[in-house]
Amino acid sequence: MKNKVLITGSNGLLGQSLLKLLKNDESVNIYATGRGEDRFLENGYTYHDVDLTNGDEIHQLIADVKPDVIIHSAAMSRVEDCEDYPDLAVKVNTEATDILSDAAIQNNVQHFLFISTDFVFSGDQGMYKEEDERNPPNFYGQTKLRAENLLFDKTDQLKISIIRTCLVYGQVKDMSRSNIMLWGRKMLSEGMEIKVVNDQIRTPTFVDDLAQGVIQCFKTRSEGVYHLSGAEVFTPYKMVEIMADEYKLDKKLMTAVNASTFKEHGKRPLKTGFIIDKAKQGFNYQTTTFIEAMKKVLS
Ligand SMILES: NC(=O)C1=CN([C@@H]2O[C@H](COP(=O)(O)OP(=O)(O)OC[C@H]3O[C@@H](n4cnc5c(N)ncnc54)[C@H](OP(=O)(O)O)[C@@H]3O)[C@@H](O)[C@H]2O)C=CC1
Ligand SMILES: Cc1cn([C@H]2C[C@H](O)[C@@H](COP(=O)(O)OP(=O)(O)O[C@H]3O[C@@H](C)C(=O)[C@@H](O)[C@H]3O)O2)c(=O)[nH]c1=O
């Protein structure tokens, strides 16, 4: 009997990468759910239009599909939006996770995977392990931390994996938000001057590595908290600089800035980045080098 896997946020960067990797996987039946029309628009899965701010729609979806596995990737993922619309951020990032996991318990879902973020950490120390103390510097991180905590209280009723990731980059169709590699290439290619932070420390994550890791996590039924990111440490400035060198773009258009000279709406943790050994040992999580991933994304 094939496992039924439901993916929320299927129109998003991670959601579409998961569909790309799973749509031809003979061992599973894929159910995708997003807000409004399907934007991946390929075969190999069943799509449901569900607004996750509507609890009744969530319960109806899970009762209809009765998935064995839920990969909960949907979120209000713009830090700025979460600052400006905190009530909506709580509804989407925290309350929908609560309702979805309750519906999972009521419908005997076997495994619930929640995608969380490095922004649950303060950014004071960097290179975080799964068990490090969380202290989010912005409201987006708060909503994700609250979602993590409500899931921790349900581990006696539901097999739960919390997968945190960091500065994800990639290319999918009709993206709801851009990412640093696409943004940097677009701006420099158009001859636009850009200010790029050189004091944020990250382990940027190639979206296809993340998606593959999520798949390996549910196929090995690995539960608990896992950090899945790239293995290399960069500042955003270095990422864009490497890209500019590779594509012979004009680096004179780049100005290095930092938290004191570049005001972002919603405080970013300065030093994050992940230790990924637990995922590597737990389910053979593997990473692509930044330069190779960049070439795939921008090819
Ligand atoms: N991108 C990154 O750098 C990082 C992402 N993460 C987390 O990973 C997950 C995936 O991120 P990513 O793919 O980049 O994010 P995206 O913003 O690309 O995808 C999120 C998806 O959630 C959907 N969504 C938002 N609100 C609702 C709603 N009310 N009902 C139904 N669907 C909704 C969005 O729909 P629509 O397309 O219509 O807007 C979107 O397709 C998220 O949980 C995010 O917090 C964690 C760390 C880093
Ligand atoms: C727009 C802009 C971004 N940047 C940098 C800041 C940041 O490190 C990187 C990406 O900027 P963004 O504002 O898109 O991303 P940001 O909101 O910082 O990224 C976060 O997204 C959410 C979903 C997460 O969960 C986090 O892990 C993280 O990836 O690019 C500049 O340096 N200059 C700019 O003009």
Side-chain angles (χ1 to χ4, degrees), residues 75-80 116-120 138 140 144 165-168 177-181 183 187 194-198 200-202 235-237 239-240 255 257 262 264-266 268-269 272 274:
M76 193 162 158
S77 67
R78 285 187 184 82
V79 171
E80 295 77 6
S116 192
T117 171
D118 58 328
F119 281 19
V120 298
N138 56 50
Y140 161 75
K144 286 289 198 175
T165 191
C166 172
L167 195 51
V168 182
R177 74 197 284 264
S178 187
N179 54 81
I180 184 167
M181 300 315 293
W183 166 81
M187 298 296 277
I194 55 175
K195 294 177 179 175
V196 195
V197 292
N198 69 353
Q200 292 179 10
I201 305 297
R202 300 285 186 265
T235 66
Y237 188 89
M239 293 170 73
V240 178
T255 303
V257 291
F262 183 74
E264 292 183 280
H265 185 35
R268 267 53 174 196
T272 67
F274 284 155

Side-chain angles (χ1 to χ4, degrees), residues 144-279:
K144 286 289 198 175
L145 178 136
R146 294 182 201 170
E148 289 189 6
N149 288 345
L150 66 90
L151 290 174
F152 287 141
D153 291 341
K154 299 182 185 180
T155 51
D156 56 341
Q157 306 169 79
L158 180 64
K159 181 194 287 287
I160 291 170
S161 303
I162 292 177
I163 292 177
R164 301 189 186 120
T165 191
C166 172
L167 195 51
V168 182
Y169 60 94
Q171 173 92 270
V172 291
K173 305 176 188 178
D174 190 9
M175 299 183 68
S176 24
R177 74 197 284 264
S178 187
N179 54 81
I180 184 167
M181 300 315 293
L182 303 179
W183 166 81
R185 195 238 329 238
K186 180 176 187 302
M187 298 296 277
L188 295 182
S189 303
E190 294 172 0
M192 307 287 283
E193 291 188 355
I194 55 175
K195 294 177 179 175
V196 195
V197 292
N198 69 353
D199 61 342
Q200 292 179 10
I201 305 297
R202 300 285 186 265
T203 47
T205 309
F206 176 39
V207 68
D208 288 356
D209 289 348
L210 174 61
Q212 187 57 50
V214 170
I215 292 165
Q216 284 158 216
C217 183
F218 81 72
K219 287 197 170 181
T220 57
R221 294 184 175 7
S222 301
E223 62 185 308
V225 184
Y226 292 93
H227 285 176
L228 273 64
S229 74
E232 301 156 288
V233 183
F234 294 100
T235 66
Y237 188 89
K238 190 63 186 168
M239 293 170 73
V240 178
E241 189 177 47
I242 293 170
M243 185 269 297
D245 285 340
E246 179 69 24
Y247 294 95
K248 300 188 178 15
L249 298 171
D250 185 0
K251 291 192 294 186
K252 292 196 293 302
L253 293 169
M254 293 173 62
T255 303
V257 291
N258 56 46
S260 58
T261 55
F262 183 74
K263 283 293 164 245
E264 292 183 280
H265 185 35
K267 186 174 183 323
R268 267 53 174 196
L270 264 190
K271 294 181 284 184
T272 67
F274 284 155
I275 302 293
I276 59 175
D277 295 345
K278 183 181 174 187

